[in-house]
Amino acid sequence: MNNSVTNTARLLGAGLRALLVLTLVTGVIYPLVITGIAQGLFHGKANGSEIKAGGKVIGSSLIGQQGYSLDYFQPRPAGGLGENSVNTQYKLILSGATNRSGDNPELIKWVKEAKAKVVKENSTADHEVDPSQVPADAVTSSGSGLDPDISPAYADLQVYRVAERNGLSVAQVRKLVDEHTEGRTLGFIGEPRVNVLELNIALKDLVADS
């Protein structure tokens, strides 16, 4: 009987020691090591790919924002996102796709209305936008609704409006778009893209310097 109790106590003691060691290794040491490596080698990405302006964090390069005035470049449409209340400050409410098929009458109506709005807002006294020029990403949201990028075609479509509203030349604004156009990842993954937040920060700086 005593041997049985002693063996049970030993087993419990061994199990407790194993639990403590595993907790220390996997719950404390391993996370600290991985966090340290991430902070040392990928500091920006480890902290959420934050974007700063004026010494403050104003967003992430990975999350789209809504509510820019027409003085700025517009992002993709996105239902459920918070309003961009102060230039690049934002509040995220929720994300998600429309979950409507391509032939859904409601989706078709939304796209037609969005296209008409894009044509109207981006036509200026010196430049009229043709409906055929409006790319898909100007009138449809991404699957998550959080896409931070637009296509170079959509950015280029907005150049005349942005130039006119900010007292800049078309060449100046187009150069800004070109400078913020990223190619395919590793040369073959994805499509060329323009990060809207980064582009609008550069635009704000350009206007301030003009």
Side-chain angles (χ1 to χ4, degrees):
M1 185 69 174
N2 289 336
N3 288 338
S4 177
V5 172
T6 301
N7 289 336
T8 300
R10 288 176 178 172
L11 289 174
L12 288 174
L16 181 60
R17 286 193 296 273
L19 176 62
L20 292 174
V21 170
L22 289 173
T23 299
L24 180 63
V25 172
T26 62
V28 180
I29 296 176
Y30 178 76
L32 288 175
V33 170
I34 296 302
T35 300
I37 292 173
Q39 289 292 335
L41 299 179
F42 312 102
H43 182 73
K45 293 181 179 179
N47 289 313
S49 300
E50 296 172 339
I51 294 180
K52 295 183 178 180
K56 297 181 179 180
V57 175
I58 58 171
S60 168
S61 63
L62 304 177
I63 300 177
Q65 303 181 16
Q66 297 292 308
Y68 293 101
S69 75
L70 289 177
D71 291 349
Y72 293 92
F73 285 90
Q74 302 298 299
R76 295 185 67 167
L81 287 180
E83 286 294 306
N84 187 320
S85 57
V86 185
N87 186 23
T88 52
Q89 301 299 316
Y90 71 105
K91 177 179 64 177
L92 183 63
I93 298 176
L94 55 88
S95 69
T98 63
N99 292 324
R100 288 168 172 78
S101 63
D103 59 355
N104 181 280
E106 189 173 23
L107 179 62
I108 293 173
K109 178 175 179 289
W110 289 347
V111 169
K112 287 182 177 179
E113 290 175 348
K115 178 176 282 191
K117 182 180 180 182
V118 168
V119 170
K120 180 180 179 180
E121 288 181 345
N122 290 282
S123 293
T124 67
D126 300 322
H127 177 76
E128 185 173 349
V129 175
D130 189 280
S132 64
Q133 296 176 294
V134 179
D137 64 306
V139 295
T140 58
S141 64
S142 63
S144 67
L146 301 178
D147 194 344
D149 305 319
I150 57 176
S151 66
Y154 187 26
D156 188 63
L157 183 86
Q158 302 182 62
V159 163
Y160 285 87
R161 166 180 53 79
V162 171
E164 181 181 77
R165 293 181 69 97
N166 289 283
L168 300 170
S169 70
V170 170
Q172 283 178 296
V173 180
R174 181 161 285 137
K175 181 174 181 290
L176 204 63
V177 171
D178 291 341
E179 290 172 348
H180 288 81
T181 298
E182 300 179 47
R184 291 180 172 87
T185 303
L186 300 178
F188 68 93
I189 300 175
E191 296 294 331
R193 59 201 181 278
V194 181
N195 187 283
V196 179
L197 175 55
E198 293 176 350
L199 178 60
N200 280 336
I201 291 173
L203 172 63
K204 185 177 181 181
D205 291 340
L206 178 62
V207 172
D209 293 338
S210 297

